[in-house]
Amino acid sequence: MKPIQVTQSSMPNFNDYIEEIRDLWDSRWLTNMGVKHNQLEKELSHYLNTPYVNLFTNGHLALECAIAAFNLKGEVITTPFTFVSTTHAIVRNGLKPVFCDINLDNYNIDTSKLESLITDKTSAIIPVHVYGNICNVEEIDRIAKKYDLKVIYDAAHAFGVTVDGVGVGNFGDASMFSFHATKVFNTIEGGAVTFRNSNLKETLNSIKNFGIKGRETIEYVSGNAKMNEFQAAMGLCNLRHVEDEINKRKLVVNRYKERLSNIKGIRLLQLQKGVKSNFAYFPVVFDGYKMNRDEIAESLAIKNIFARKYFYPLTNSLDCYEQKYDVDLTPVAKFVSQNVLTLPLYADLSLDDVDLICDTVLGT
Ligand SMILES: *Cc1c(COP(=O)(O)O)cnc(C)c1O
């Protein structure tokens, strides 16, 4: 049997992509804010329903540049229950991550524990919309205003998610999206920062291009994080069918839910009120189940089915951080990380395969 991976990249029809890149052979303009790049920014601004979109070569550098744009100092409050990128982006900007625990309802930062972590060194909050679930944005906004903190969301999982019709990229001072091959919408590698303050546009354009401002003015010491035309062309093609992809994902998620709901010891994500989901991930937390997470991952792997321990380990326990942080200060994150398994999910996953996965999880 062909292996079932945790995800499978969404791709356009081959000929559609060839058509999209054909004119690049005439223009010979391959990167540096070309026609495709600018068109994709415009179309994404429409799709994400947010005033400004700035494209990047990947999501990680988008986040690093967004953090750099606010010229933050000192400490940043964030979550350890995320992909390593979030924490690395903070550290690589010379900032100290301070880890806040998560809640058990949606695995996002627990806003009731946030305020006690604020010190006179805190300059920002960098929460993550984990699995595309929306953080408690109102409470985060209230706290940020009270202590004069910036808020930058890692919205890498939340492409196309809306709350009461509002695009998720409108919250906080800025949000980062990832368009990596494994995400709901991809540009092969790619990413974006969305924001509402128009001043940020020029700053980000400069930061992602070596700090160049004018022909002879270099404003920042900065690297290169520009999206090229072939990436943008992939994005333009994929954007045309992303709604179909999300609808197909929804069918897969519904089948998983039919099979795995109301089982003792299995905890599933609940849909949030007013939220239009993108069905990006299907995480299952085993809490007092007859098998533990590792045993289930193993019994799937025997059948060539590859689920992922996502997120494990927590970023506050990574080897590279040399035990600088105490995972016991984030006990809920520790528990979830030790017991979560993200099951395979992509638009073309067949319902028969979902059944096979569920049979294995249920041990039937
Ligand atoms: C994918 C991801 C990133 C990094 O994005 P890339 O496009 O892979 O660089 C950052 N944060 C989270 C939560 C992610 O899932």
Side-chain angles (χ1 to χ4, degrees):
M1 198 183 99
K2 205 170 155 239
I4 301 174
Q5 303 295 347
V6 71
T7 187
Q8 180 177 289
S9 297
S10 134
M11 289 175 85
N13 182 298
F14 179 74
N15 289 321
D16 289 351
Y17 187 66
I18 298 305
E19 269 320 302
E20 192 62 54
I21 60 174
R22 194 178 291 282
D23 39 353
L24 297 175
W25 267 259
D26 298 326
S27 71
R28 302 279 161 143
W29 186 317
L30 306 186
T31 185
N32 286 58
M33 290 52 119
V35 172
K36 309 275 174 206
H37 169 281
N38 295 345
Q39 190 186 338
L40 185 60
E41 278 193 349
K42 212 192 270 169
E43 291 192 15
L44 283 175
S45 163
H46 180 74
Y47 184 81
L48 296 172
N49 204 354
T50 169
Y52 298 102
V53 175
N54 205 308
L55 294 173
F56 289 82
T57 193
N58 60 52
H60 177 80
L61 286 174
L63 184 59
E64 276 199 23
C65 293
I67 296 170
F70 289 103
N71 209 1
L72 305 173
K73 300 271 178 292
E75 299 174 358
V76 170
I77 299 174
T78 187
T79 167
F81 190 67
T82 182
F83 184 51
V84 293
S85 168
T86 322
T87 305
H88 284 356
I90 294 168
V91 173
R92 283 167 56 89
N93 269 285
L95 299 160
K96 182 181 170 206
V98 173
F99 295 100
C100 183
D101 208 0
I102 60 172
N103 68 62
L104 253 189
D105 296 332
N106 54 34
Y107 316 129
N108 283 328
I109 206 160
D110 183 346
T111 48
S112 73
K113 296 180 181 161
L114 226 165
E115 238 170 317
S116 67
L117 298 171
I118 295 174
T119 70
D120 54 7
K121 296 201 189 84
T122 310
S123 60
I125 308 171
I126 302 191
V128 181
H129 299 301
V130 177
Y131 306 129
N133 270 328
I134 304 304
C135 294
N136 187 345
V137 289
E138 280 169 21
E139 184 60 8
I140 291 170
D141 190 48
R142 184 191 70 77
I143 296 169
K145 285 210 172 82
K146 181 169 166 192
Y147 296 92
D148 192 23
L149 307 174
K150 296 290 179 204
V151 179
I152 303 169
Y153 283 102
D154 179 333
H157 291 181
F159 185 83
V161 175
T162 63
V163 190
D164 296 324
V166 178
V168 67
N170 291 289
F171 301 117
D173 294 282
S175 299
M176 175 278 281
F177 291 87
S178 164
F179 308 150
H180 182 255
T182 55
K183 302 299 205 289
V184 167
F185 165 77
N186 84 78
T187 59
I188 309 171
E189 292 264 7
V193 177
T194 62
F195 47 94
R196 281 167 307 172
N197 180 346
S198 61
N199 297 332
L200 207 52
K201 182 93 199 162
E202 225 179 293
T203 309
L204 286 173
N205 277 339
S206 169
I207 289 178
K208 74 178 176 187
N209 190 25
F210 306 102
I212 296 172
K213 184 129 185 243
R215 211 170 270 274
E216 294 174 4
T217 8
I218 313 299
E219 197 179 19
Y220 307 96
V221 179
S222 190
N224 175 7
K226 301 187 297 291
M227 177 180 280
N228 70 51
E229 291 291 274
F230 289 81
Q231 290 174 288
M234 191 67 154
L236 289 170
C237 292
N238 277 337
L239 196 55
R240 289 178 203 134
H241 64 108
V242 71
E243 279 295 315
D244 289 346
E245 292 276 315
I246 292 172
N247 288 332
K248 284 159 91 183
R249 282 172 172 275
K250 182 177 180 175
L251 299 178
V252 173
V253 165
N254 284 347
R255 182 65 146 243
Y256 271 130
K257 282 191 170 166
E258 265 170 44
R259 299 285 319 271
L260 301 177
S261 290
N262 303 317
I263 308 266
K264 190 174 167 291
I266 292 188
R267 195 184 269 278
L268 304 183
L269 270 186
Q270 302 303 317
L271 284 183
Q272 295 174 293
K273 223 171 129 247
V275 170
K276 178 179 166 275
S277 172
N278 63 1
F279 306 97
Y281 298 92
F282 197 81
V284 178
V285 171
F286 299 97
D287 181 2
Y289 189 58
K290 61 185 175 185
M291 290 181 275
N292 69 33
R293 185 267 308 270
D294 291 354
E295 288 164 349
I296 291 165
E298 191 47 42
S299 57
L300 288 167
I302 290 167
K303 296 185 181 165
N304 247 349
I305 299 165
F306 299 98
R308 207 175 146 198
K309 299 172 193 175
Y310 195 62
F311 303 103
Y312 174 86
L314 291 180
T315 69
N316 53 359
S317 70
L318 300 177
D319 298 337
C320 57
Y321 292 125
E322 298 169 340
Q323 299 175 349
K324 262 189 240 167
Y325 312 107
D326 183 356
V327 288
D328 291 318
L329 295 177
T330 53
V332 179
K334 183 177 173 186
F335 168 79
V336 175
S337 153
Q338 284 171 345
N339 294 287
V340 71
L341 194 64
T342 304
L343 300 181
L345 171 54
Y346 44 87
D348 293 324
L349 184 63
S350 76
L351 297 184
D352 285 346
D353 283 343
V354 176
D355 282 339
L356 175 64
I357 295 163
C358 292
D359 290 343
T360 310
V361 170
L362 293 169
T364 54

